[in-house]
RNA sequence: GCCAGGGUGGCGAAAUUGGCAGACGCGCCAGACUUAGGAUCUGGUGGAGCAAUCCUUAGGGGUUCGAGUCCCCUCCCUGGUACCA
C-alpha cells in the first residue's frame, strides 16, 4: 500500500502559511492589535511621537481588489509596522469611498439599492484586505456613504457656503464679515448657470467620464452642452495659495508641476478696446501687451454676449449661422478635431488704443468663453493661432517684435508718429531707429515669432526688450485707464453638483427662488428611499421623484442635486483622526495630535518644531495627482482659515505607486482576462509571499508587470527563513531546529547582520523595499549556505576575515590577493551550521514589516526554547546597527590601465594614495599592460581603484 | 503639438559625490539527493571567442584619467494634457 500522500497543492506548500497566517490574523483581530488610541484614551502614550500613514481609500467596486491595489497598501503597511517598532504612535486607517456612479448604474439596471451593493462590496474588499494581513486600525474604519460620516460632509459644505474669501486677508472668513450688499455673489459655494453634458436621448446629464468622443458611454447617443443651474465652489479664490503653499511639500516634483500647470497661472494685462461708433468696450486678456501695435483684429468667443450687440445687420445671418454650427459641436469636436480655424466677421470694428487704428472684430470658436474675458486681441505675427486664422481669412499681419540685441536702456524711446489714445500727452522724445535697427523685417524667418526680442513698429515702446516693453506699455495703459496688470488662471471654479441619487444631498432649501442653508441640527440629511433610480428624463435629478422628501415646507423645497464623489474624499483623512465623534467633524485634540506638528507634550522640544505636520505619508495612484489632491487641499485651507484645523496643508509627504501590469504586459482588465485576485495568489503562496513579492518587483513608483514565477521565488526565500529556524520531524511536523543555538555569531556573520540592519532601515525610510528584501535574502543565504560556498562568499559571510589571510606582511608591503576560484575558499574555523538565536531574532524583526505572519510565528516558537520578555515580536525595539562591525581591515581595489580593470588586489583599509600608486606600478598585470609605454599619470582613489594612464 | 517620467542580460531589476556595470530574484544549463520531482541542495549563467582578449547600460557626439550616472542631438515607450490668448 502506498502511504497516503498529501494532495498536490498541500505538498507544494514549502511552509505551513495556510495555518499560521489565519492564526495570526485571528490573534490580531481578537487583540485589536493595531488600534491606536487617541490622546486621553486608555493606552495612549503621550511620550511617543505620532506618525500618520495613509492610503488613498478605495472605491468598493463590484469586482474587488486586484493585485495592483495592494501595492501601495503594502508599502504603507510596512512603514506603519516599522514606525511602530521605532516607537511611534502610528495612525494607519482605511475606509471606503462609497458613494459613486457604478453602484447607481447597477441600481438602474437591477433595481438593487446602491446601499445594498455597496455594503456587499465593502464586505468583500474588507475580507481581501484582512487576508493580506494589513495592520489597519479597523476601529477607525469609515465609509463616506454612512450617515455618521456624510453628516459632516454636509456640515463642511455649510461652512463653505457660509463663508467668503476676503481678498484683503487672503483667507476664508464667515460671510458675516462681508460688508457688501450681495453676499451671494461672494460665497465660496454659489449657484451659477453652467453648461453640462446633456444627453437628450437618455434624458440625463452625464459626467465627463461618461462621455466618450462626444457620445454617451451608454448607448452612444449624442451629447450636447446645455446650461443648467449648478452649485459651484470658488476654488479659484485659492489659486494663488494652492500654488504657493505647494512649494515646501515633500511631493514628487512632477506632481507639483502637474498641479501648477493645472492651476495655470499667467501674468499679463487686461486691455480695453473701444468699439468704433459705439459705447461698447471689449476687454481682452493678453500675456503680451508689448505686441499691442501688432493687434490687427479682434476675436470674440461665439458665446460672448457682445457678439449679439456688435454684429451689423449685414453680417447678422452669417454670424447666426456660425454660432448655430458651433453650438452643435461637442467640446471635443471643437478642440481636438478643429484643426482648421473658422470664424465670421461681425461687421464691427474696434479701435486699437495704441495707434487709433480701426481693426475688424471677428467671432471664432478658437477663442474660448471660459478663459480670460472670452475675447482676444489677435496678433498674428506673434501668435500661432492668430497667424493661422489671419492666413486663412487674409487678415493683416504686422511684426512688432524683432530679434537682435537689446538696445541699451534709454537709447530708444517713444516715437512721435502716434495717434492712438495712448499717445495723447504721453512723454517721449522720439528716437529714430531706422538707421541702427538691424532691418529685422528683411530677415527671412518663419512667423510667428514667439520668443522675446525687441519691440519694433511700436512707437511708444520701440527698442525696448520684451520684458521692459510689457511693463512700459502696461503702465501707460494704466495711466490712461485703458488697461491694467492682471493675472489669469486656467483653473475654473469647481462644478460641485451632480444630477445623481447616490451622493450626499445638499443641506440647502429653496424658497421664493432663493437658496438658504438648513440648520446644522437637521443633519445628517439622508437621501430619501427610492426604488426607481433611472433618470427622470427631464434633466431633473432622481431625487425629484421623492416628492414628500422634496417638500421641505409649504413654501420651501429641497435642493435636488447631490454632491460629487470627491466630497467625501476631500476630508476623510481628517475623520480618521476621530471617527466616532458625534459632536464635531473631528475633535480638536485628536486633530491637533495626528495632523499637528507634534504631540502636545512634546511641542516644546526642538526636534518637533521642524516637523511640518499633516499626514506624514500619503500613498496612492497618479490618477489622483490633480483633482483629488487639489480639491482636498482647497477644503483643508478653508477649514484651516475658519479655525477648525491646525495646519494649512493636509498631506506633507506624497508618493505615487506605479501601475502593476498583467503577466502579458498589458493593463489589468477584464477585457484582457489578465486580472489577478490577491486571494488566489495567497491561496497558493501565502500572504507574506504576496506582500514581499509586491515589494520585490521593483521600485514602488514604477510601472511593472506581474509574474507568478516571481512570487514563487520570493516564497522560496520565505521558506528558507522558515527552515533556518525549523526542521521537519518524524511525524512530518515542523519543530524548532536544533541548529538554533545560543552562540556568538562569527565576525563574518556579524558583518552581514549589521549590514542588513543598516540597509533595511535606510531602505524602508526611502521606500526602497525591493533592495531591502534583496539584502535580507543575502542575510539568509549567508546563514543557510555552507561556509565557503559561493553563495556565502558573495554574501560576505564565507570569506575569510583579514586576520585569517596568510601572507599578510607587516611593514607596508601588501601582496596581491590570489584570485579566489570557486570552492577554494577555506572554511573558517569555528563556523558551523549553527544559527545564533540573536541573529535569527534580528532577522525576524527586520523582516516582520514585510512578512508579519511568518516572523510572528517563528518568534513565538523561539520563545519556547529561549524565553524572552515580552515574548511578542511587536514588543521588540528595532535593532540598531553598529558601524564597527561593518568596517573591514582590508578592501579590494581595482587596478586599471587606461581605464580598464587589469587586476584587483586587497589592501589595508588605510592605504594612502602613494601606497596605492606604488602597489599599482609594482603589479605584474599592470606592468604587462604598460610595458613599452610611458606612464603619463596615475590616479589613485582610496578604497576604490588606481588608474594608470600610459601611452 | 506641449509637459512629465522612462529605455541596463532571456525576464523583474541593482549600482554613495562620476570610480570594479549587472547585487538580489526569475528563467536556463549541469550536478547531488531521489522510485519520482514543478521539492531541496551545489556549481554555472551579459555577448563574441578554444584562448589571450575584445565588445556591452536605446543610438550618435562631447566633457573627463575614468560616464549607466554630467552636457548636446536623435530615436522609441508610458502617463498627462489639448487652441488657456
Amino acid at each position: 500500500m502506498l502511504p497516503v500522500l498529501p494532495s498536490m497543492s498541500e505538498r507544494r506548500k514549502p511552509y505551513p502559511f495556510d495555518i499560521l497566517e489565519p492564526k495570526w490574523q485571528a490573534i490580531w483581530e481578537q487583540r485589536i492589535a493595531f488600534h491606536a488610541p487617541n490622546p486621553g484614551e486608555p493606552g495612549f502614550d503621550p511620550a511617543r511621537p505620532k506618525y500618520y500613514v495613509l492610503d488613498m481609500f478605495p472605491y468598493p467596486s463590484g469586482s474587488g481588489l486586484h493585485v495592483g491595489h495592494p501595492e501601495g497598501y503594502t508599502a504603507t503597511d510596512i512603514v506603519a509596522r516599522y514606525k511602530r517598532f521605532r516607537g511611534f504612535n502610528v495612525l494607519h486607517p482605511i475606509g471606503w469611498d462609497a458613494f459613486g456612479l457604478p453602484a447607481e448604474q447597477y441600481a438602474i439596471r437591477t433595481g438593487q439599492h446602491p446601499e445594498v451593493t455597496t455594503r456587499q462590496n465593502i464586505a468583500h474588499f474588507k475580507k481581501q484586505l484582512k487576508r493580506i494581513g494589513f495592520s489597519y486600525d479597523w476601529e477607525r474604519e469609515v465609509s463616506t456613504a454612512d450617515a455618521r460620516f456624510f453628516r459632516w460632509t454636509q456640515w463642511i459644505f455649510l461652512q463653505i457656503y457660509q463663508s467668503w474669501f476676503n481678498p484683503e486677508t487672503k483667507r476664508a472668513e464667515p460671510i458675516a464679515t462681508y460688508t457688501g450688499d450681495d453676499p451671494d455673489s461672494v460665497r465660496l459655494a454659489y449657484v451659477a448657470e453652467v453648461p453640462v453634458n446633456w444627453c437628450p436621448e437618455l434624458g440625463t446629464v452625464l459626467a465627463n467620464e461618461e462621455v466618450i468622443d462626444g457620445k454617451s458611454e451608454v448607448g452612444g447617443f449624442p451629447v450636447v452642452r446645455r446650461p443648467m443651474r449648478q452649485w459651484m465652489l470658488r476654488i479659484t479664490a485659492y489659486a494663488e495659495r494652492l500654488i504657493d503653499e505647494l512649494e515646501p511639500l515633500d511631493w514628487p516634483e512632477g506632481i507639483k508641476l502637474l498641479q501648477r500647470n493645472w492651476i495655470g497661472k499667467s501674468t499679463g494685462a487686461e486691455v480695453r478696446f473701444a468699439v468704433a461708433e459705439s459705447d461698447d468696450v471689449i476687454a481682452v486678456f493678453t500675456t503680451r501687451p508689448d505686441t499691442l501695435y501688432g493687434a490687427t483684429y479682434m476675436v470674440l468667443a461665439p458665446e460672448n454676449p457682445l457678439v449679439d450687440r456688435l454684429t451689423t445687420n449685414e453680417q447678422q445671418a452669417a454670424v447666426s449661422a456660425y454660432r448655430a454650427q458651433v453650438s452643435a459641436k461637442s467640446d471635443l469636436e471643437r478642440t481636438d478635431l478643429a484643426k482648421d480655424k473658422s470664424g465670421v466677421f461681425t461687421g464691427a470694428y474696434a479701435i486699437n488704443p495704441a495707434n487709433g487704428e480701426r481693426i475688424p472684430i471677428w467671432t471664432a470658436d478658437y477663442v474660448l468663453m471660459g478663459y480670460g474675458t472670452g475675447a482676444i486681441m489677435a496678433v498674428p505675427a506673434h501668435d500661432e493661432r492668430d497667424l493661422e486664422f489671419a492666413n486663412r481669412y487674409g487678415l493683416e499681419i504686422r511684426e512688432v517684435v524683432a530679434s537682435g540685441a537689446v538696445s541699451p536702456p534709454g537709447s530708444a524711446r517713444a516715437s512721435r508718429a502716434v495717434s492712438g489714445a495712448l499717445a495723447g500727452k504721453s512723454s517721449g522724445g522720439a528716437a529714430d531707429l531706422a538707421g541702427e535697427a538691424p532691418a529685422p523685417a528683411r530677415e527671412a524667418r518663419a512667423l510667428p515669432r514667439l520668443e522675446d526680442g525687441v519691440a519694433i513698429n511700436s512707437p511708444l515702446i520701440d527698442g525696448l526688450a520684451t520684458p521692459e516693453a510689457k511693463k512700459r506699455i502696461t503702465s501707460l495703459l494704466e495711466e490712461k485707464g485703458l488697461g491694467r496688470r492682471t493675472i489669469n488662471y486656467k483653473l475654473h471654479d469647481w462644478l460641485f453638483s451632480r444630477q445623481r441619487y447616490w451622493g450626499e444631498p445638499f443641506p440647502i432649501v429653496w424658497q421664493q427662488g432663493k437658496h438658504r442653508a438648513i440648520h446644522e441640527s437637521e443633519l445628517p440629511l439622508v437621501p430619501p428611499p427610492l426604488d426607481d433610480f433611472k433618470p427622470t428624463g427631464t434633466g431633473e435629478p432622481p431625487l425629484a421623484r421623492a416628492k414628500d422628501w422634496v417638500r421641505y415646507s409649504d413654501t420651501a423645497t429641497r435642493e435636488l442635486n447631490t454632491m460629487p464623489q470627491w466630497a467625501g474624499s476631500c476630508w476623510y483623512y481628517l475623520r480618521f483622526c476621530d471617527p466616532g465623534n458625534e459632536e464635531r467633524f473631528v475633535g480638536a485634540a485628536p486633530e491637533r495630535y495626528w495632523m499637528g506638528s507634534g504631540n502636545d507634550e512634546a511641542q516644546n522640544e526642538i526636534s518637533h518644531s521642524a516637523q511640518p505636520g499633516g499626514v506624514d505619508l500619503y500613498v496612492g495612484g497618479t490618477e489622483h495627482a490633480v483633482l483629488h489632491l487639489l480639491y482636498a487641499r482647497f477644503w483643508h485651507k478653508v477649514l484651516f482659515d475658519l479655525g477648525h484645523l491646525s495646519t494649512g496643508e493636509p498631506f506633507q509627504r506624497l508618493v505615487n505607486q506605479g501601475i502593476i501590469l498583467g503577466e502579458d504586459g498589458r493593463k489589468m482588465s477584464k477585457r484582457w482576462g489578465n486580472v489577478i485576485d490577491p486571494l488566489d495568489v495567497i491561496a497558493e503562496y501565502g500572504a507574506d509571499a504576496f506582500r514581499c513579492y509586491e515589494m520585490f518587483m521593483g521600485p514602488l513608483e514604477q510601472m511593472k508587470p506581474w509574474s507568478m514565477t516571481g512570487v514563487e521565488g520570493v516564497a522560496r526565500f520565505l521558506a528558507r527563513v522558515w527552515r533556518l529556524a525549523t526542521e521537519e520531524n518524524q511525524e512530518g511536523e515542523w519543530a524548532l531546529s536544533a541548529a538554533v543555538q545560543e552562540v556568538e555569531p562569527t565576525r563574518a556573520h556579524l558583518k552581514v547582520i549589521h549590514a542588513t540592519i543598516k540597509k533595511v532601515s535606510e531602505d524602508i525610510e526611502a521606500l526602497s523595499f525591493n533592495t531591502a528584501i534583496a539584502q535580507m535574502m543575502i542575510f539568509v543565504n549567508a546563514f543557510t549556505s555552507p561556509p565557503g560556498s559561493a553563495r556565502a562568499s558573495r554574501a560576505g559571510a564565507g570569506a575569510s576575515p583579514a586576520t585569517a589571510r596568510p601572507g599578510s606582511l607587516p611593514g607596508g608591503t601588501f601582496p596581491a590577493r590570489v584570485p579566489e576560484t570557486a570552492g577554494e575558499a577555506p572554511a573558517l574555523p569555528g563556523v558551523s551550521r549553527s544559527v545564533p538565536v540573536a541573529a535569527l531574532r534580528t532577522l525576524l524583526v527586520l523582516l516582520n514589516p514585510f512578512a508579519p505572519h511568518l516572523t510572528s510565528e517563528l518568534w513565538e516558537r523561539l520563545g519556547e526554547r529561549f524565553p524572552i520578555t515580552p515574548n511578542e515580536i511587536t514588543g521588540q525595539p528595532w535593532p540598531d546597527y553598529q558601524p564597527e562591525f561593518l568596517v573591514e581591515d582590508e578592501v579590494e581595489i581595482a587596478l586599471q590601465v587606461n581605464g580598464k580593470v587589469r587586476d584587483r588586489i586587497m589592501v589595508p583599509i588605510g592605504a594612502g594614495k602613494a601606497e596605492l600608486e606604488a602597489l599599482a606600478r609594482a603589479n605584474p598585470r599592470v606592468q604587462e599592460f604598460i610595458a613599452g609605454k610611458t606612464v603619463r599619470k596615475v590616479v589613485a582613489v582610496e578604497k576604490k581603484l588606481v588608474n594608470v594612464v600610459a601611452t
Side-chain angles (χ1 to χ4, degrees), chain A residues 603-634:
Chain A
Q603 251 167 11
N604 294 329
E605 286 177 32
I606 298 154
S607 62
H608 285 282
S609 63
Q611 291 182 6
V615 173
D616 297 280
L617 175 64
Y618 193 28
V619 177
T622 338
E623 65 272 22
H624 296 119
V626 175
L627 295 183
H628 159 60
L629 291 170
L630 201 62
Y631 293 157
R633 293 179 62 218
F634 165 50

Side-chain angles (χ1 to χ4, degrees), chain A residues 254-295:
Chain A
I255 302 298
K256 288 193 195 176
L257 192 66
L258 219 55
Q259 290 225 344
R260 281 193 210 103
N261 291 345
W262 189 267
I263 296 166
K265 176 180 179 175
S266 50
T267 310
E270 190 178 285
V271 185
R272 297 159 64 84
F273 285 68
V275 177
E277 292 96 39
S278 150
D279 294 335
D280 280 315
V281 166
I282 302 173
V284 302
F285 173 72
T286 176
T287 54
R288 294 295 301 271
D290 60 303
T291 63
L292 184 55
Y293 283 94

